[in-house]
């Protein structure tokens, strides 16, 4: 029964964008029970199935490198329980104003020189104002002119704002569902799940690719993790990029003392994301420093094929670029040069 959802053609056989949409739509929805069944497979069977899917859809087996820059840090009015940038929590993050264009372009040039594929600009906003959009569109144009793929994560978007970003050349917009709909309520109260879905549909309608994932290890149950993956996999079409963050517990936030998730359960989550969203770039995101090399290697085996690259995420640390290059080289993993065939819209 589970194989019914994994019979899509490999990327190399994909002819047009429209074909892709039809296939995804025709593949049927995943139920939470089916996804729980995947989670419950014997570990080796799950990883083998994920690796088979990975090899069928990504025969080159390359890893995408995405560099993050916090263009506007801290002072956020939202109450996301994991986030060091929420103004209401007493964390070490100092609020700052939107960065200047030339500083952003310097950072993008450095990312490009270090071998990054994508440059993602993040702002600690509930939603951008129209005058913020104007400034960010200048950044998008500048970054794109350097030959990098562009991504932004600026909070909730109106349809007209999504349109303006698309017209400026934004390739991807990151907006996470973060977790299952029922667990969401215990982590965030200042905006709802439907608000997030609305932003994602505005991004799609504007013709941009969607980067959407979430965080595991916030105290959710396995069933809730399965429900979260089901929501992502059942988006039609599912996101082109799926960042799976491992909670980074930050002092001062409500989740500061959260007991860490069993690392093997994290690997299982990556495998389940790979199987249910076979064409997506599954990104091993926040929390890699804490995972260590062996667990990261297992995540690549389970189908992760993208990482955040560079020593800083938004406000927390990430492995040094050199360390990542050494890990990828040791594992014999190539880095990605182009992903044009994967863009669904
Ligand atoms: N303010 C925008 C928003 O919320 O959409 C954009 C930036 S926000 C920091 C982007 C994502 O980072 C969140 O949705 C969450 O998944 C992730 N994130 C934030 N803090 C994190 C933490 N402590 N550990 C893991 N992921 C985290
Ligand atoms: C995503 O899913 N993870 C990134 C990116 N999208 C913007 C952010 C991770 C942030 C981790 C905590 C911090 O560095 O502030
Ligand atoms: Fe604000 Fe985004 Fe952090 Fe939530 S995750 S508090 S919206 S910066």
């Amino acid at each position: 029964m589970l194989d019914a959802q994994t019979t899509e053609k490999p990327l190399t056989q994909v002819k047009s964008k429209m074909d892709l949409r039809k296939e995804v739509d025709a593949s049927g929805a995943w139920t939470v029970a089916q996804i729980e069944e995947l989670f419950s497979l014997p570990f080796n069977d799950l990883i083998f199935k994920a690796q088979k899917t990975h090899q069928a859809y990504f025969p080159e087996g390359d890893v995408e490198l995405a560099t993050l820059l916090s263009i506007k840090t801290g002072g956020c009015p939202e109450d996301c329980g994991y986030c060091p940038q929420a103004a209401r929590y007493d964390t070490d993050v100092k609020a700052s104003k939107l960065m200047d264009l030339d500083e952003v372009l310097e950072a993008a040039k450095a990312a490009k020189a270090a071998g990054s594929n994508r440059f993602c600009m993040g702002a600690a906003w509930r939603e951008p104002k129209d005058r913020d959009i104007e400034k960010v569109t200048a950044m998008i144009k500048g970054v794109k002119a350097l030959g990098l793929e562009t991504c932004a994560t600026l909070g909730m978007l109106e349809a007209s704002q999504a349109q303006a970003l698309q017209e400026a050349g934004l390739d991807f917009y990151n907006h996470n569902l973060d977790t299952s709909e029922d667990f969401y309520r215990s982590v965030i109260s200042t905006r709802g799940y439907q608000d997030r879905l609305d932003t994602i549909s505005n991004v799609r309608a504007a013709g941009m690719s969607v980067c959407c994932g979430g965080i595991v290890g916030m105290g959710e149950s396995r069933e809730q993790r399965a429900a979260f993956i089901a929501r992502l996999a059942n988006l039609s079409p599912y996101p082109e990029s799926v960042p799976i963050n491992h909670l980074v517990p930050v002092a001062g936030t409500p989740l500061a003392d959260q007991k860490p998730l069993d690392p093997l359960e994290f690997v299982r989550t990556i495998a389940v994301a790979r199987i249910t969203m076979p064409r997506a770039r599954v990104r091993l995101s926040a929390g890699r420093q804490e995972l260590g090399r062996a667990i990261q290697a297992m995540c690549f085996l389970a189908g992760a094929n993208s990482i955040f690259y560079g020593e800083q995420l938004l406000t927390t640390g990430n492995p040094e670029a050199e360390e990542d290059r050494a890990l990828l080289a040791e594992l014999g993993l190539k880095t990605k040069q182009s992903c044009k065939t994967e863009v669904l819209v």
Side-chain angles (χ1 to χ4, degrees):
M1 178 171 66
L2 291 174
D3 282 335
Q5 276 84 359
T6 58
T7 52
E8 296 172 78
K9 292 190 192 106
L11 261 181
T12 45
Q13 296 176 20
V14 170
K15 298 222 170 45
S16 78
K17 297 168 185 172
M18 283 318 288
D19 284 346
L20 247 167
R21 268 181 190 278
K22 261 190 267 157
E23 273 184 71
V24 171
D25 288 345
S27 68
W30 286 90
T31 65
V32 176
Q34 283 173 323
I35 296 186
E36 279 187 281
E37 231 180 277
L38 285 175
F39 265 103
S40 306
L41 284 172
F43 188 77
N44 287 356
D45 294 351
L46 173 61
I47 304 307
F48 184 65
K49 191 176 173 71
Q51 180 55 214
K52 264 202 313 191
T53 308
H54 188 62
Q55 289 186 358
Y57 287 88
F58 289 92
E60 297 197 353
D62 55 352
V63 176
E64 171 191 78
L65 306 178
T67 298
L68 270 173
L69 177 69
S70 182
I71 59 170
K72 197 274 164 211
T73 306
C76 184
E78 298 293 276
D79 72 348
C80 311
Y82 46 76
C83 188
Q85 304 199 66
R88 67 190 69 204
Y89 307 137
D90 185 15
T91 68
D92 287 343
V93 172
K94 286 190 183 58
S96 61
K97 63 176 187 50
L98 185 61
M99 279 172 81
D100 289 333
L101 176 62
D102 51 350
E103 286 177 275
V104 173
L105 296 185
E106 278 314 304
K109 277 181 204 157
K112 167 107 178 151
S116 201
N117 310 113
R118 188 178 304 173
F119 193 68
C120 179
M121 293 162 271
W125 287 321
R126 170 185 167 79
E127 71 258 294
K129 298 188 179 69
D130 287 346
R131 66 166 187 273
D132 300 322
I133 293 284
E134 265 173 51
K135 291 182 184 157
V136 175
T137 53
M139 295 174 187
I140 293 165
K141 288 178 187 160
V143 172
K144 200 148 170 92
L146 298 173
L148 284 159
E149 284 180 350
T150 52
C151 179
T153 181
L154 316 170
M156 295 187 286
L157 287 188
E158 297 295 340
S160 58
Q161 296 179 318
Q163 199 58 48
L165 294 174
Q166 191 276 334
E167 281 163 17
L170 190 65
D171 298 306
F172 290 79
Y173 192 79
N174 166 246
H175 199 65
N176 289 341
L177 286 182
D178 270 344
T179 185
S180 68
E181 191 164 6
D182 64 335
F183 191 70
Y184 183 93
R185 286 182 264 280
S186 53
V187 182
I188 302 156
S189 76
T190 47
R191 64 178 145 160
Y193 215 69
Q194 189 56 47
D195 294 323
R196 295 196 178 231
L197 291 165
D198 291 347
T199 289
I200 293 161
S201 83
N202 288 340
V203 170
R204 273 274 172 244
M208 286 180 284
S209 293
V210 170
C211 172
C212 180
I215 312 180
V216 294
M218 296 194 290
E220 73 285 350
S221 64
R222 176 180 272 184
E223 185 186 351
Q224 287 165 326
R225 271 189 293 285
F228 155 58
I229 298 287
R231 284 310 280 259
L232 293 175
N234 290 335
L235 290 172
S236 185
Y238 55 77
E240 286 79 3
S241 280
V242 178
I244 303 289
N245 297 277
H246 188 293
L247 175 72
V248 179
V250 179
T253 63
L255 290 174
D257 299 320
Q258 182 58 45
K259 182 171 159 275
L261 184 72
D262 176 349
L264 295 184
E265 183 70 7
F266 184 73
V267 180
R268 282 183 186 271
T269 309
I270 297 281
V272 170
R274 165 53 61 225
I275 293 165
T276 55
M277 293 172 274
R279 287 197 183 86
R281 282 275 168 186
V282 175
R283 186 173 310 124
L284 187 48
S285 301
R288 280 199 302 121
Q289 264 179 329
E290 294 72 19
L291 290 177
R293 283 158 32 101
I295 295 292
Q296 288 186 69
M298 275 200 217
C299 289
F300 291 125
L301 185 61
N305 59 354
S306 177
I307 56 172
F308 281 125
Y309 175 65
E311 66 199 32
Q312 180 89 356
L313 290 167
L314 292 174
T315 65
T316 64
N318 198 42
E320 297 284 335
E322 206 178 312
E323 211 181 301
D324 278 338
R325 284 196 297 269
L327 176 63
L328 295 177
E330 192 185 341
L331 298 174
L333 288 167
K334 286 176 291 182
T335 57
K336 165 177 164 285
Q337 295 308 320
S338 163
C339 81
K340 292 198 167 46
T341 49
E342 293 154 47
V343 178
L344 299 184
V345 289

